[in-house]
Each structure stands twice: as structure tokens, then as C-alpha cells.
């Protein structure tokens, strides 16, 4: 490998890692598909950095850290499937049961790390890692799994592109991901199963993919804000599987009894997670039952909490701003503005008038 190629691999891998960290960190609060897109890009980046490290004989150095062992191929199909579901199902929500999809990858990573350090420190190898069963688990299973996910992705995109009310840019983005990973999977099969000499092509595609993904974000920052390609439906059609009255009762109990509104910066996804419901459904329910958006609805509880605390002798030593902050407001200015919007008066005017 020449110096220019090594530099290109290093730059591609590092850019991919940085982009992955941005995607994952910025999406944790939103809990959206970009977390899993970040996992996919991380795996691609580790693959390139591994090739770069091998060119420098890093793997055989005494104190080498085996970062390449994090690149389990089993991460790819499960992450891609979650990414697919987020983008083709408006009611999909990642739940604890979906973590089971990542157990095989975790098992491989833990086993490989154990084997690596056991061999380094004691010269003892785990024998089954060279068995056909382990090869099938770590090399063949992810390929078969990925093929199944791509078939499902193709079917869903073809179905919804015919009936969905979607803009061309969004569908093009979805088909772009499908095409890139379909090509990579075909080459993966050719390299891993048929033993064709095509890894250089895989390497080139991964480099170009990571560079393109990295630079697109500079010109279109919201490119990674993935949107569903499902058929446009009314809220009633989307949420027919849920019991509104039961969900509403649980929502009110969560606020009346657990007082979740006391948490500053509470989001609809925080509430939805507690209720194990989609965030969009919670927003729809509040809008339908209270003719209000989520923030206004929660702030109504906070204002009520402030007024109750103002009449509590135990809170008499606190200022109104202190009580407001204890009631879930983020700042004095936001409290004053929200209070006036809801009550039609500033806090001081309201208190002065009601103390007469």
C-alpha cells in the first residue's frame, strides 16, 4: 500500500468516526434513526481504519489496542433493520426487546476481546474461534441477515413509493442507501463466500461513501433528519391500534401522581417512553383531547404547581422565582412569559390581585 492510499484510508476512517459520533450524540435525545445510521457508519469506519492499521503492521505491535474487534459484522444487519423500520413505519419505536437484536454482536465482541488478551497474556487460544460454527456465526449469519433486510427494504420502498405522498428528494435518499448497501452486500458475498478478489472495490466504495456522507452535511445539515416514507394517513388511521381513553388516563396519572412535569426540559419523547407509546401518538392525543400542543399542556401543570406552592406555608421562605424553578420552569424569563400567556397577567400582578 502506498503512502497516498494509507492517508486516504486514515482520513476516510477518521471522518466516518467523527460523523458517527455527531449522529449518535445529537440523536440520543430524539431517539431516532440516526443513532443506528451512526452505528453503520462506525462499522464502515472501523473497517477502513483496520486496513490502514494492517498496512502499518500495527496489529503485531506489543501494546496494540484491538479496536478492530469492535467492528462486528453482526452490527450491520440489525442496525440497518432498525434504520429501515424508522423510515418506513411512522409508529415504530425502539424498545428494550429490540436490544436482543444486538446480542449476537455483543457476544462476538466480548468473546474476541477475551481471546485477544488471553492469547497476549498467557499464549492460550480459545479453540472454537477457529471452528466452522464460529465462522458461520460471525461471517455467514450477518451476510444472510443483511440480504433479508435488503429484500424487506426493497419491498417496502417499492410499495410506498407508489402510494406515498413523498417528495422526490426523500425517496431518492432512501433508494440511495438501499443501492449503496446492496452493492456492498453483493461484493461482501463475493469476497467472504466466493473468495473473489474484490476487497479493493469494497474499500474504495466505503471511502467514497464516508467522504460523500461527510461533506453532504456541510451543505445540507438536515440531510440526516430521516423522515418516514410511509403512506400519508390521518392521525385516526395511524393510531387505531391504541386505546385513547386508556392512554389518556395513564398520561394524566403520570402527571398528576408522578409529577413528571417537574423535570426541566421535559420532552414528549420522555413522556412517551414512560408510557411505552410513540411520541407522535402522545402529541396527537394531547392535541385531540386538550386542543393544545405538548409544551402548553405541560406548562399548564407547572403554573398550577406554582400557584399551589405559593399557598403552602412550607414554601413561604422561597421567592416566586425559586418556586417556579422547583416547579419545572427553566428560567425566570420563560416562567414570566408562560405565566402571562396562561393567566393573562404577570406573576406579580396575579399574586397582588389575588391577595386583596
Amino acid at each position: 500500500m502506498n503512502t497516498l492510499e494509507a492517508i486516504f484510508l486514515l482520513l476516510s476512517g477518521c471522518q466516518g468516526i467523527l460523523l458517527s459520533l455527531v449522529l449518535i450524540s445529537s440523536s440520543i435525545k430524539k431517539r431516532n434513526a440516526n443513532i443506528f445510521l451512526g452505528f453503520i457508519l462506525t462499522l464502515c469506519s472501523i473497517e477502513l481504519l483496520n486496513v490502514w492499521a494492517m498496512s502499518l503492521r500495527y496489529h503485531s505491535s506489543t501494546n496494540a489496542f484491538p479496536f478492530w474487534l469492535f467492528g462486528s459484522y453482526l452490527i450491520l444487519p440489525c442496525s440497518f433493520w432498525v434504520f429501515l423500520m424508522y423510515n418506513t413505519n411512522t409508529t415504530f419505536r425502539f424498545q428494550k426487546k429490540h436490544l436482543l437484536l444486538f446480542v449476537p454482536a455483543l457476544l462476538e465482541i466480548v468473546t474476541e476481546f477475551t481471546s485477544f488478551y488471553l492469547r497476549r497474556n498467557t499464549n492460550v487460544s480459545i479453540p472454537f474461534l477457529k471452528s466452522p460454527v464460529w465462522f458461520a456465526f460471525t461471517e455467514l449469519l450477518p451476510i444472510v441477515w443483511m440480504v433479508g433486510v435488503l429484500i424487506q427494504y426493497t419491498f417496502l420502498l417499492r410499495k410506498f413509493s407508489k402510494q406515498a405522498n413523498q417528495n422526490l428528494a426523500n425517496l431518492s435518499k432512501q433508494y440511495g442507501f438501499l443501492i449503496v448497501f446492496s452493492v456492498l452486500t453483493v461484493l461482501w458475498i463475493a469476497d467472504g463466500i466466493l473468495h473473489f478478489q474484490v476487497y479493493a472495490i469494497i474499500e474504495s466504495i466505503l471511502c467514497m461513501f464516508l467522504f460523500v456522507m461527510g461533506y453532504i452535511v456541510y451543505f445540507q445539515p438536515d440531510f440526516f433528519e430521516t423522515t418516514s416514507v410511509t403512506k400519508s394517513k390521518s392521525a385516526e388511521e395511524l393510531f387505531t391500534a391504541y386505546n385513547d381513553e386508556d392512554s389518556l388516563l395513564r398520561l394524566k396519572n403520570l402527571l398528576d401522581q408522578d409529577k413528571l412535569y417537574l423535570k426541566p426540559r421535559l420532552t414528549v419523547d420522555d413522556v412517551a417512553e414512560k408510557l411505552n407509546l410513540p411520541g407522535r401518538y402522545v402529541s396527537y392525543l394531547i392535541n385531540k383531547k386538550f386542543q393544545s400542543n405538548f409544551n402548553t399542556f405541560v406548562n399548564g401543570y407547572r403554573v398550577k404547581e406554582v400557584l399551589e406552592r405559593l399557598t403552602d406555608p412550607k414554601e413561604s421562605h422561597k421567592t416566586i422565582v425559586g418556586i417556579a424553578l422547583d416547579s419545572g420552569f427553566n428560567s425566570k424569563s420563560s416562567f414570566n412569559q408562560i405565566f402571562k400567556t396562561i393567566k393573562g397577567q404577570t406573576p406579580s400582578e396575579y399574586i397582588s390581585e389575588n391577595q386583596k
Side-chain angles (χ1 to χ4, degrees), residues 252 255-256 259-263 266 286 290-309 323-324 327-330 334-344 350:
K252 294 190 71 175
L255 295 171
D256 291 333
K259 295 193 174 185
L260 198 63
Y261 56 84
L262 297 180
K263 176 184 177 182
L266 181 70
I286 292 172
F290 301 101
Q291 292 74 52
S292 173
N293 61 38
F294 174 78
N295 288 331
T296 301
F297 177 68
V298 171
N299 284 330
Y301 274 88
R302 289 171 174 157
V303 168
K304 182 181 177 183
E305 179 76 15
V306 169
L307 295 176
E308 289 178 355
R309 293 191 179 207
I323 290 176
S327 300
F329 288 101
N330 294 321
S334 64
F335 165 62
N336 288 335
Q337 181 181 355
I338 291 167
F339 191 98
K340 186 173 183 179
T341 299
I342 293 177
K343 291 298 183 180
Y350 184 89

Side-chain angles (χ1 to χ4, degrees), residues 194-211:
L194 303 178
H195 304 295
F196 292 162
Q197 300 300 312
V198 295
Y199 190 80
I201 301 176
I202 296 176
E203 181 183 307
S204 299
I205 292 176
L206 287 178
C207 284
M208 288 188 291
F209 176 66
L210 290 176
F211 265 114

Side-chain angles (χ1 to χ4, degrees), residues 89-108:
N89 187 341
T90 55
T91 61
F92 177 79
R93 182 172 180 79
F94 190 83
Q95 299 178 7
K96 291 180 180 179
K97 65 181 180 181
H98 295 128
L99 291 173
L100 294 175
L101 296 171
F102 295 85
V103 169
L106 181 62
L107 176 61
E108 179 188 1

Side-chain angles (χ1 to χ4, degrees), residues 73-74 108 112 133-144 188 191-193:
Y73 294 148
L74 288 162
E108 179 188 1
E112 293 285 359
V133 174
W134 186 254
F135 175 80
F137 176 66
T138 59
E139 300 291 336
L140 300 184
L141 175 60
I143 292 177
V144 174
W188 187 7
D191 177 74
I193 297 179

Side-chain angles (χ1 to χ4, degrees), residues 65-77:
F65 176 71
F67 69 87
W68 57 90
L69 298 181
F70 286 111
S72 169
Y73 294 148
L74 288 162
I75 294 173
L76 183 59

Side-chain angles (χ1 to χ4, degrees), residues 311-325:
T311 61
D312 185 351
K314 296 179 181 179
E315 303 282 339
S316 60
H317 64 287
K318 296 182 181 179
T319 64
I320 188 171
V321 174
I323 290 176
L325 295 177

